[in-house]
Amino acid sequence: MEEWCHLKKIFIVILIVITVFAIIVGIRWNHLTNLSETSTIVVSYLKNEGFFVLYHSDDFGLYTITNNELTEKPYSDYLKVQNKNLEFYVDKKLHHEFFYVNNHPLSNLFGFGHIHVTVIMSENEVVGASSTKDGMTYPLHGE
């Protein structure tokens, strides 16, 4: 009888864990299926880069950068880690898409732990990306 009560408790805990997991997966799926066109482009880009997209946190823009602003904050923080010449970004209409991802080199042990990723878009094209951890800005893959 005591063993039956123990198995019943284990079953209830497993059922609760499965239910919570299903709710989280459902919320994530619903969130990621209701994104804008540019956010959807970014999700595909991040998946192709090997990341597991957790959720879209925000976006920012449209804005343009002048030659004088290239070395000023906040622009210099994320532009210095790009693999393009800084002048590439001058006078383009830019906006940012912000996501949290998993399976990132900056993540904790075994790729767990969400990392904030900023993707720079010009019109409907990805023109740059960076990762942030502990207030530090890195190239997309954290190199």
Side-chain angles (χ1 to χ4, degrees), residues 19-63:
T19 303
V20 169
F21 179 76
I23 290 170
I24 290 170
V25 168
I27 290 170
R28 179 185 171 273
W29 178 83
N30 185 51
H31 171 74
L32 293 179
T33 57
N34 291 311
L35 295 174
S36 69
E37 180 183 349
T38 55
S39 296
T40 303
I41 291 168
V42 173
V43 168
S44 294
Y45 170 77
L46 292 172
K47 285 181 180 179
N48 288 338
E49 292 295 318
F51 302 119
F52 180 79
V53 177
L54 296 171
Y55 61 94
H56 179 257
S57 63
D58 206 357
D59 56 64
F60 174 79
L62 289 168
Y63 69 97

mmCIF file of all heavy atoms in Angstrom, residues 19-63:
data_model
loop_
_atom_site.group_PDB
_atom_site.id
_atom_site.type_symbol
_atom_site.label_atom_id
_atom_site.label_comp_id
_atom_site.label_asym_id
_atom_site.label_seq_id
_atom_site.Cartn_x
_atom_site.Cartn_y
_atom_site.Cartn_z
ATOM 1 N N THR A 19 2.775 18.757 -18.112
ATOM 2 C CA THR A 19 1.793 19.814 -18.357
ATOM 3 C C THR A 19 2.468 21.178 -18.462
ATOM 4 O O THR A 19 2.192 21.952 -19.383
ATOM 5 C CB THR A 19 0.727 19.828 -17.249
ATOM 6 O OG1 THR A 19 0.103 18.540 -17.192
ATOM 7 C CG2 THR A 19 -0.319 20.899 -17.500
ATOM 8 N N VAL A 20 3.371 21.479 -17.538
ATOM 9 C CA VAL A 20 4.090 22.761 -17.570
ATOM 10 C C VAL A 20 4.928 22.861 -18.838
ATOM 11 O O VAL A 20 4.947 23.907 -19.504
ATOM 12 C CB VAL A 20 4.958 22.931 -16.292
ATOM 13 C CG1 VAL A 20 5.910 24.105 -16.427
ATOM 14 C CG2 VAL A 20 4.072 23.091 -15.066
ATOM 15 N N PHE A 21 5.625 21.801 -19.192
ATOM 16 C CA PHE A 21 6.424 21.783 -20.414
ATOM 17 C C PHE A 21 5.541 22.043 -21.640
ATOM 18 O O PHE A 21 5.900 22.837 -22.515
ATOM 19 C CB PHE A 21 7.160 20.448 -20.546
ATOM 20 C CG PHE A 21 7.992 20.345 -21.783
ATOM 21 C CD1 PHE A 21 9.200 21.003 -21.877
ATOM 22 C CD2 PHE A 21 7.558 19.584 -22.856
ATOM 23 C CE1 PHE A 21 9.973 20.922 -23.027
ATOM 24 C CE2 PHE A 21 8.314 19.488 -24.007
ATOM 25 C CZ PHE A 21 9.533 20.158 -24.092
ATOM 26 N N ALA A 22 4.394 21.401 -21.714
ATOM 27 C CA ALA A 22 3.483 21.579 -22.854
ATOM 28 C C ALA A 22 2.978 23.012 -22.929
ATOM 29 O O ALA A 22 2.874 23.584 -24.025
ATOM 30 C CB ALA A 22 2.312 20.609 -22.744
ATOM 31 N N ILE A 23 2.710 23.624 -21.798
ATOM 32 C CA ILE A 23 2.247 25.011 -21.775
ATOM 33 C C ILE A 23 3.356 25.938 -22.282
ATOM 34 O O ILE A 23 3.111 26.818 -23.107
ATOM 35 C CB ILE A 23 1.792 25.415 -20.360
ATOM 36 C CG1 ILE A 23 0.491 24.691 -20.018
ATOM 37 C CG2 ILE A 23 1.615 26.926 -20.242
ATOM 38 C CD1 ILE A 23 0.061 24.822 -18.562
ATOM 39 N N ILE A 24 4.572 25.724 -21.810
ATOM 40 C CA ILE A 24 5.702 26.567 -22.234
ATOM 41 C C ILE A 24 5.949 26.423 -23.733
ATOM 42 O O ILE A 24 6.134 27.409 -24.442
ATOM 43 C CB ILE A 24 6.965 26.229 -21.422
ATOM 44 C CG1 ILE A 24 6.791 26.702 -19.980
ATOM 45 C CG2 ILE A 24 8.204 26.856 -22.039
ATOM 46 C CD1 ILE A 24 7.863 26.227 -19.032
ATOM 47 N N VAL A 25 5.950 25.197 -24.235
ATOM 48 C CA VAL A 25 6.164 24.966 -25.662
ATOM 49 C C VAL A 25 5.034 25.601 -26.471
ATOM 50 O O VAL A 25 5.278 26.232 -27.509
ATOM 51 C CB VAL A 25 6.284 23.452 -25.966
ATOM 52 C CG1 VAL A 25 6.205 23.173 -27.455
ATOM 53 C CG2 VAL A 25 7.580 22.914 -25.392
ATOM 54 N N GLY A 26 3.821 25.506 -25.997
ATOM 55 C CA GLY A 26 2.676 26.110 -26.691
ATOM 56 C C GLY A 26 2.771 27.623 -26.741
ATOM 57 O O GLY A 26 2.513 28.239 -27.782
ATOM 58 N N ILE A 27 3.160 28.241 -25.639
ATOM 59 C CA ILE A 27 3.316 29.699 -25.599
ATOM 60 C C ILE A 27 4.423 30.129 -26.559
ATOM 61 O O ILE A 27 4.273 31.094 -27.296
ATOM 62 C CB ILE A 27 3.600 30.175 -24.163
ATOM 63 C CG1 ILE A 27 2.349 29.995 -23.297
ATOM 64 C CG2 ILE A 27 4.061 31.628 -24.145
ATOM 65 C CD1 ILE A 27 2.587 30.219 -21.814
ATOM 66 N N ARG A 28 5.564 29.423 -26.532
ATOM 67 C CA ARG A 28 6.678 29.749 -27.422
ATOM 68 C C ARG A 28 6.250 29.612 -28.873
ATOM 69 O O ARG A 28 6.510 30.477 -29.693
ATOM 70 C CB ARG A 28 7.875 28.839 -27.145
ATOM 71 C CG ARG A 28 9.045 29.118 -28.062
ATOM 72 C CD ARG A 28 10.178 28.110 -27.844
ATOM 73 N NE ARG A 28 11.167 28.277 -28.875
ATOM 74 C CZ ARG A 28 11.129 27.688 -30.059
ATOM 75 N NH1 ARG A 28 10.166 26.865 -30.369
ATOM 76 N NH2 ARG A 28 12.083 27.909 -30.945
ATOM 77 N N TRP A 29 5.568 28.520 -29.219
ATOM 78 C CA TRP A 29 5.119 28.296 -30.591
ATOM 79 C C TRP A 29 4.178 29.414 -31.024
ATOM 80 O O TRP A 29 4.315 29.970 -32.114
ATOM 81 C CB TRP A 29 4.428 26.936 -30.715
ATOM 82 C CG TRP A 29 3.912 26.691 -32.096
ATOM 83 C CD1 TRP A 29 4.613 26.228 -33.176
ATOM 84 C CD2 TRP A 29 2.587 26.939 -32.569
ATOM 85 N NE1 TRP A 29 3.795 26.166 -34.278
ATOM 86 C CE2 TRP A 29 2.546 26.593 -33.934
ATOM 87 C CE3 TRP A 29 1.433 27.410 -31.956
ATOM 88 C CZ2 TRP A 29 1.394 26.713 -34.695
ATOM 89 C CZ3 TRP A 29 0.288 27.532 -32.717
ATOM 90 C CH2 TRP A 29 0.276 27.182 -34.077
ATOM 91 N N ASN A 30 3.228 29.769 -30.177
ATOM 92 C CA ASN A 30 2.275 30.836 -30.505
ATOM 93 C C ASN A 30 2.998 32.161 -30.696
ATOM 94 O O ASN A 30 2.704 32.908 -31.622
ATOM 95 C CB ASN A 30 1.214 30.956 -29.407
ATOM 96 C CG ASN A 30 0.148 31.958 -29.763
ATOM 97 O OD1 ASN A 30 -0.425 31.914 -30.843
ATOM 98 N ND2 ASN A 30 -0.105 32.882 -28.854
ATOM 99 N N HIS A 31 3.952 32.447 -29.827
ATOM 100 C CA HIS A 31 4.717 33.695 -29.914
ATOM 101 C C HIS A 31 5.496 33.763 -31.225
ATOM 102 O O HIS A 31 5.475 34.777 -31.918
ATOM 103 C CB HIS A 31 5.659 33.811 -28.715
ATOM 104 C CG HIS A 31 6.626 34.934 -28.798
ATOM 105 N ND1 HIS A 31 6.257 36.239 -28.613
ATOM 106 C CD2 HIS A 31 7.956 34.954 -29.064
ATOM 107 C CE1 HIS A 31 7.316 37.019 -28.755
ATOM 108 N NE2 HIS A 31 8.354 36.262 -29.033
ATOM 109 N N LEU A 32 6.186 32.690 -31.576
ATOM 110 C CA LEU A 32 7.037 32.700 -32.764
ATOM 111 C C LEU A 32 6.258 32.593 -34.073
ATOM 112 O O LEU A 32 6.798 32.886 -35.127
ATOM 113 C CB LEU A 32 8.087 31.588 -32.677
ATOM 114 C CG LEU A 32 9.145 31.769 -31.586
ATOM 115 C CD1 LEU A 32 10.108 30.591 -31.574
ATOM 116 C CD2 LEU A 32 9.899 33.082 -31.739
ATOM 117 N N THR A 33 4.995 32.211 -34.027
ATOM 118 C CA THR A 33 4.202 32.150 -35.260
ATOM 119 C C THR A 33 3.476 33.459 -35.535
ATOM 120 O O THR A 33 2.864 33.606 -36.584
ATOM 121 C CB THR A 33 3.177 30.997 -35.222
ATOM 122 O OG1 THR A 33 2.345 31.158 -34.078
ATOM 123 C CG2 THR A 33 3.861 29.649 -35.226
ATOM 124 N N ASN A 34 3.556 34.408 -34.612
ATOM 125 C CA ASN A 34 2.874 35.692 -34.789
ATOM 126 C C ASN A 34 3.857 36.854 -34.922
ATOM 127 O O ASN A 34 3.571 37.965 -34.501
ATOM 128 C CB ASN A 34 1.922 35.946 -33.613
ATOM 129 C CG ASN A 34 0.753 34.991 -33.628
ATOM 130 O OD1 ASN A 34 0.106 34.813 -34.639
ATOM 131 N ND2 ASN A 34 0.491 34.366 -32.501
ATOM 132 N N LEU A 35 4.999 36.600 -35.529
ATOM 133 C CA LEU A 35 6.018 37.631 -35.684
ATOM 134 C C LEU A 35 5.827 38.407 -36.982
ATOM 135 O O LEU A 35 5.203 37.918 -37.925
ATOM 136 C CB LEU A 35 7.411 36.988 -35.684
ATOM 137 C CG LEU A 35 7.854 36.320 -34.389
ATOM 138 C CD1 LEU A 35 9.180 35.607 -34.593
ATOM 139 C CD2 LEU A 35 7.962 37.333 -33.260
ATOM 140 N N SER A 36 6.439 39.590 -37.038
ATOM 141 C CA SER A 36 6.421 40.389 -38.263
ATOM 142 C C SER A 36 7.267 39.707 -39.333
ATOM 143 O O SER A 36 8.009 38.753 -39.054
ATOM 144 C CB SER A 36 6.981 41.786 -37.984
ATOM 145 O OG SER A 36 8.375 41.700 -37.719
ATOM 146 N N GLU A 37 7.202 40.225 -40.542
ATOM 147 C CA GLU A 37 7.973 39.655 -41.649
ATOM 148 C C GLU A 37 9.474 39.715 -41.368
ATOM 149 O O GLU A 37 10.195 38.734 -41.573
ATOM 150 C CB GLU A 37 7.658 40.387 -42.954
ATOM 151 C CG GLU A 37 8.410 39.859 -44.151
ATOM 152 C CD GLU A 37 8.136 40.643 -45.424
ATOM 153 O OE1 GLU A 37 7.210 41.476 -45.438
ATOM 154 O OE2 GLU A 37 8.853 40.408 -46.407
ATOM 155 N N THR A 38 9.957 40.870 -40.898
ATOM 156 C CA THR A 38 11.395 40.986 -40.634
ATOM 157 C C THR A 38 11.819 40.109 -39.454
ATOM 158 O O THR A 38 12.898 39.526 -39.489
ATOM 159 C CB THR A 38 11.820 42.447 -40.367
ATOM 160 O OG1 THR A 38 11.048 42.981 -39.304
ATOM 161 C CG2 THR A 38 11.656 43.295 -41.605
ATOM 162 N N SER A 39 10.977 39.985 -38.447
ATOM 163 C CA SER A 39 11.307 39.109 -37.317
ATOM 164 C C SER A 39 11.377 37.654 -37.765
ATOM 165 O O SER A 39 12.226 36.897 -37.299
ATOM 166 C CB SER A 39 10.286 39.261 -36.193
ATOM 167 O OG SER A 39 10.314 40.566 -35.659
ATOM 168 N N THR A 40 10.511 37.264 -38.684
ATOM 169 C CA THR A 40 10.527 35.903 -39.221
ATOM 170 C C THR A 40 11.811 35.647 -40.004
ATOM 171 O O THR A 40 12.393 34.568 -39.927
ATOM 172 C CB THR A 40 9.285 35.672 -40.104
ATOM 173 O OG1 THR A 40 8.117 35.922 -39.315
ATOM 174 C CG2 THR A 40 9.236 34.255 -40.637
ATOM 175 N N ILE A 41 12.266 36.654 -40.750
ATOM 176 C CA ILE A 41 13.540 36.545 -41.470
ATOM 177 C C ILE A 41 14.675 36.311 -40.470
ATOM 178 O O ILE A 41 15.553 35.473 -40.684
ATOM 179 C CB ILE A 41 13.799 37.806 -42.320
ATOM 180 C CG1 ILE A 41 12.809 37.875 -43.481
ATOM 181 C CG2 ILE A 41 15.243 37.847 -42.833
ATOM 182 C CD1 ILE A 41 12.793 39.212 -44.212
ATOM 183 N N VAL A 42 14.647 37.048 -39.364
ATOM 184 C CA VAL A 42 15.693 36.920 -38.345
ATOM 185 C C VAL A 42 15.649 35.544 -37.691
ATOM 186 O O VAL A 42 16.697 34.936 -37.453
ATOM 187 C CB VAL A 42 15.585 38.043 -37.288
ATOM 188 C CG1 VAL A 42 16.554 37.810 -36.143
ATOM 189 C CG2 VAL A 42 15.844 39.393 -37.937
ATOM 190 N N VAL A 43 14.473 35.022 -37.413
ATOM 191 C CA VAL A 43 14.365 33.677 -36.821
ATOM 192 C C VAL A 43 15.019 32.655 -37.744
ATOM 193 O O VAL A 43 15.795 31.804 -37.297
ATOM 194 C CB VAL A 43 12.892 33.315 -36.520
ATOM 195 C CG1 VAL A 43 12.759 31.833 -36.189
ATOM 196 C CG2 VAL A 43 12.352 34.151 -35.373
ATOM 197 N N SER A 44 14.737 32.733 -39.034
ATOM 198 C CA SER A 44 15.360 31.804 -39.991
ATOM 199 C C SER A 44 16.875 31.973 -39.999
ATOM 200 O O SER A 44 17.614 30.988 -40.015
ATOM 201 C CB SER A 44 14.816 32.048 -41.404
ATOM 202 O OG SER A 44 13.468 31.714 -41.466
ATOM 203 N N TYR A 45 17.333 33.208 -39.979
ATOM 204 C CA TYR A 45 18.770 33.489 -39.956
ATOM 205 C C TYR A 45 19.419 32.875 -38.710
ATOM 206 O O TYR A 45 20.453 32.201 -38.809
ATOM 207 C CB TYR A 45 18.988 35.004 -39.999
ATOM 208 C CG TYR A 45 20.405 35.432 -39.740
ATOM 209 C CD1 TYR A 45 21.379 35.306 -40.725
ATOM 210 C CD2 TYR A 45 20.777 35.975 -38.503
ATOM 211 C CE1 TYR A 45 22.689 35.704 -40.484
ATOM 212 C CE2 TYR A 45 22.082 36.369 -38.267
ATOM 213 C CZ TYR A 45 23.033 36.229 -39.252
ATOM 214 O OH TYR A 45 24.323 36.613 -39.009
ATOM 215 N N LEU A 46 18.816 33.090 -37.558
ATOM 216 C CA LEU A 46 19.396 32.570 -36.309
ATOM 217 C C LEU A 46 19.383 31.040 -36.278
ATOM 218 O O LEU A 46 20.339 30.416 -35.811
ATOM 219 C CB LEU A 46 18.660 33.152 -35.098
ATOM 220 C CG LEU A 46 18.861 34.649 -34.873
ATOM 221 C CD1 LEU A 46 17.942 35.158 -33.763
ATOM 222 C CD2 LEU A 46 20.315 34.963 -34.566
ATOM 223 N N LYS A 47 18.329 30.433 -36.802
ATOM 224 C CA LYS A 47 18.284 28.966 -36.882
ATOM 225 C C LYS A 47 19.386 28.452 -37.805
ATOM 226 O O LYS A 47 20.048 27.466 -37.494
ATOM 227 C CB LYS A 47 16.916 28.496 -37.363
ATOM 228 C CG LYS A 47 15.835 28.599 -36.317
ATOM 229 C CD LYS A 47 14.502 28.101 -36.860
ATOM 230 C CE LYS A 47 13.416 28.202 -35.838
ATOM 231 N NZ LYS A 47 12.113 27.749 -36.376
ATOM 232 N N ASN A 48 19.583 29.125 -38.938
ATOM 233 C CA ASN A 48 20.649 28.727 -39.866
ATOM 234 C C ASN A 48 22.033 28.888 -39.241
ATOM 235 O O ASN A 48 22.969 28.189 -39.630
ATOM 236 C CB ASN A 48 20.567 29.524 -41.169
ATOM 237 C CG ASN A 48 19.404 29.114 -42.036
ATOM 238 O OD1 ASN A 48 18.879 28.010 -41.915
ATOM 239 N ND2 ASN A 48 18.978 30.008 -42.903
ATOM 240 N N GLU A 49 22.162 29.803 -38.310
ATOM 241 C CA GLU A 49 23.424 30.007 -37.598
ATOM 242 C C GLU A 49 23.613 28.995 -36.472
ATOM 243 O O GLU A 49 24.632 29.000 -35.790
ATOM 244 C CB GLU A 49 23.502 31.432 -37.046
ATOM 245 C CG GLU A 49 23.625 32.503 -38.116
ATOM 246 C CD GLU A 49 24.930 32.416 -38.897
ATOM 247 O OE1 GLU A 49 25.996 32.194 -38.281
ATOM 248 O OE2 GLU A 49 24.888 32.562 -40.135
ATOM 249 N N GLY A 50 22.612 28.139 -36.247
ATOM 250 C CA GLY A 50 22.734 27.060 -35.269
ATOM 251 C C GLY A 50 22.145 27.340 -33.900
ATOM 252 O O GLY A 50 22.369 26.569 -32.959
ATOM 253 N N PHE A 51 21.368 28.404 -33.778
ATOM 254 C CA PHE A 51 20.797 28.751 -32.480
ATOM 255 C C PHE A 51 19.373 28.242 -32.348
ATOM 256 O O PHE A 51 18.645 28.115 -33.334
ATOM 257 C CB PHE A 51 20.803 30.268 -32.272
ATOM 258 C CG PHE A 51 22.173 30.873 -32.375
ATOM 259 C CD1 PHE A 51 22.453 31.816 -33.339
ATOM 260 C CD2 PHE A 51 23.189 30.489 -31.519
ATOM 261 C CE1 PHE A 51 23.708 32.373 -33.452
ATOM 262 C CE2 PHE A 51 24.453 31.042 -31.625
ATOM 263 C CZ PHE A 51 24.710 31.982 -32.589
ATOM 264 N N PHE A 52 18.965 27.986 -31.115
ATOM 265 C CA PHE A 52 17.584 27.659 -30.790
ATOM 266 C C PHE A 52 16.939 28.948 -30.301
ATOM 267 O O PHE A 52 17.315 29.480 -29.262
ATOM 268 C CB PHE A 52 17.520 26.568 -29.714
ATOM 269 C CG PHE A 52 16.125 26.186 -29.342
ATOM 270 C CD1 PHE A 52 15.399 25.341 -30.153
ATOM 271 C CD2 PHE A 52 15.546 26.678 -28.183
ATOM 272 C CE1 PHE A 52 14.103 24.980 -29.812
ATOM 273 C CE2 PHE A 52 14.256 26.320 -27.834
ATOM 274 C CZ PHE A 52 13.525 25.480 -28.650
ATOM 275 N N VAL A 53 16.004 29.480 -31.070
ATOM 276 C CA VAL A 53 15.368 30.750 -30.738
ATOM 277 C C VAL A 53 14.333 30.525 -29.638
ATOM 278 O O VAL A 53 13.398 29.744 -29.807
ATOM 279 C CB VAL A 53 14.715 31.379 -31.985
ATOM 280 C CG1 VAL A 53 13.991 32.666 -31.618
ATOM 281 C CG2 VAL A 53 15.756 31.631 -33.062
ATOM 282 N N LEU A 54 14.535 31.219 -28.523
ATOM 283 C CA LEU A 54 13.595 31.120 -27.411
ATOM 284 C C LEU A 54 12.429 32.081 -27.594
ATOM 285 O O LEU A 54 11.279 31.671 -27.572
ATOM 286 C CB LEU A 54 14.296 31.403 -26.088
ATOM 287 C CG LEU A 54 15.384 30.411 -25.703
ATOM 288 C CD1 LEU A 54 16.170 30.903 -24.497
ATOM 289 C CD2 LEU A 54 14.770 29.048 -25.424
ATOM 290 N N TYR A 55 12.729 33.365 -27.751
ATOM 291 C CA TYR A 55 11.665 34.329 -27.991
ATOM 292 C C TYR A 55 12.211 35.659 -28.486
ATOM 293 O O TYR A 55 13.378 35.969 -28.322
ATOM 294 C CB TYR A 55 10.787 34.536 -26.758
ATOM 295 C CG TYR A 55 11.501 35.062 -25.535
ATOM 296 C CD1 TYR A 55 11.543 36.425 -25.254
ATOM 297 C CD2 TYR A 55 12.111 34.194 -24.634
ATOM 298 C CE1 TYR A 55 12.190 36.905 -24.135
ATOM 299 C CE2 TYR A 55 12.746 34.667 -23.507
ATOM 300 C CZ TYR A 55 12.776 36.023 -23.261
ATOM 301 O OH TYR A 55 13.419 36.495 -22.148
ATOM 302 N N HIS A 56 11.318 36.405 -29.114
ATOM 303 C CA HIS A 56 11.593 37.757 -29.619
ATOM 304 C C HIS A 56 11.304 38.716 -28.472
ATOM 305 O O HIS A 56 10.204 38.737 -27.938
ATOM 306 C CB HIS A 56 10.669 38.022 -30.805
ATOM 307 C CG HIS A 56 10.825 39.367 -31.419
ATOM 308 N ND1 HIS A 56 9.941 40.385 -31.189
ATOM 309 C CD2 HIS A 56 11.751 39.854 -32.268
ATOM 310 C CE1 HIS A 56 10.312 41.454 -31.868
ATOM 311 N NE2 HIS A 56 11.408 41.158 -32.539
ATOM 312 N N SER A 57 12.297 39.533 -28.111
ATOM 313 C CA SER A 57 12.075 40.409 -26.971
ATOM 314 C C SER A 57 11.678 41.827 -27.354
ATOM 315 O O SER A 57 10.977 42.486 -26.602
ATOM 316 C CB SER A 57 13.307 40.436 -26.060
ATOM 317 O OG SER A 57 14.418 40.971 -26.735
ATOM 318 N N ASP A 58 12.104 42.305 -28.525
ATOM 319 C CA ASP A 58 11.773 43.682 -28.896
ATOM 320 C C ASP A 58 12.378 44.001 -30.259
ATOM 321 O O ASP A 58 13.039 43.160 -30.864
ATOM 322 C CB ASP A 58 12.329 44.648 -27.847
ATOM 323 C CG ASP A 58 11.556 45.965 -27.766
ATOM 324 O OD1 ASP A 58 10.609 46.163 -28.557
ATOM 325 O OD2 ASP A 58 11.896 46.793 -26.908
ATOM 326 N N ASP A 59 12.152 45.219 -30.716
ATOM 327 C CA ASP A 59 12.824 45.727 -31.904
ATOM 328 C C ASP A 59 13.040 47.222 -31.716
ATOM 329 O O ASP A 59 12.464 47.837 -30.828
ATOM 330 C CB ASP A 59 12.037 45.420 -33.187
ATOM 331 C CG ASP A 59 10.625 45.960 -33.134
ATOM 332 O OD1 ASP A 59 10.455 47.194 -33.070
ATOM 333 O OD2 ASP A 59 9.688 45.150 -33.164
ATOM 334 N N PHE A 60 13.906 47.775 -32.548
ATOM 335 C CA PHE A 60 14.228 49.193 -32.453
ATOM 336 C C PHE A 60 14.563 49.719 -33.837
ATOM 337 O O PHE A 60 15.279 49.094 -34.602
ATOM 338 C CB PHE A 60 15.429 49.416 -31.530
ATOM 339 C CG PHE A 60 15.906 50.837 -31.510
ATOM 340 C CD1 PHE A 60 15.239 51.786 -30.754
ATOM 341 C CD2 PHE A 60 16.997 51.229 -32.263
ATOM 342 C CE1 PHE A 60 15.662 53.107 -30.743
ATOM 343 C CE2 PHE A 60 17.431 52.552 -32.260
ATOM 344 C CZ PHE A 60 16.763 53.486 -31.499
ATOM 345 N N GLY A 61 14.076 50.895 -34.168
ATOM 346 C CA GLY A 61 14.451 51.537 -35.408
ATOM 347 C C GLY A 61 13.228 52.065 -36.094
ATOM 348 O O GLY A 61 12.150 52.000 -35.556
ATOM 349 N N LEU A 62 13.365 52.614 -37.152
ATOM 350 C CA LEU A 62 14.364 52.900 -38.154
ATOM 351 C C LEU A 62 15.245 54.070 -37.700
ATOM 352 O O LEU A 62 14.776 55.015 -37.080
ATOM 353 C CB LEU A 62 13.738 53.266 -39.492
ATOM 354 C CG LEU A 62 13.069 52.145 -40.250
ATOM 355 C CD1 LEU A 62 12.255 52.685 -41.404
ATOM 356 C CD2 LEU A 62 14.118 51.215 -40.811
ATOM 357 N N TYR A 63 16.513 54.007 -38.116
ATOM 358 C CA TYR A 63 17.446 55.084 -37.856
ATOM 359 C C TYR A 63 18.574 54.991 -38.869
ATOM 360 O O TYR A 63 18.730 53.984 -39.540
ATOM 361 C CB TYR A 63 17.997 55.022 -36.423
ATOM 362 C CG TYR A 63 18.909 53.852 -36.174
ATOM 363 C CD1 TYR A 63 20.295 53.999 -36.247
ATOM 364 C CD2 TYR A 63 18.410 52.590 -35.889
ATOM 365 C CE1 TYR A 63 21.140 52.929 -36.044
ATOM 366 C CE2 TYR A 63 19.249 51.518 -35.672
ATOM 367 C CZ TYR A 63 20.616 51.687 -35.751
ATOM 368 O OH TYR A 63 21.456 50.626 -35.546
#
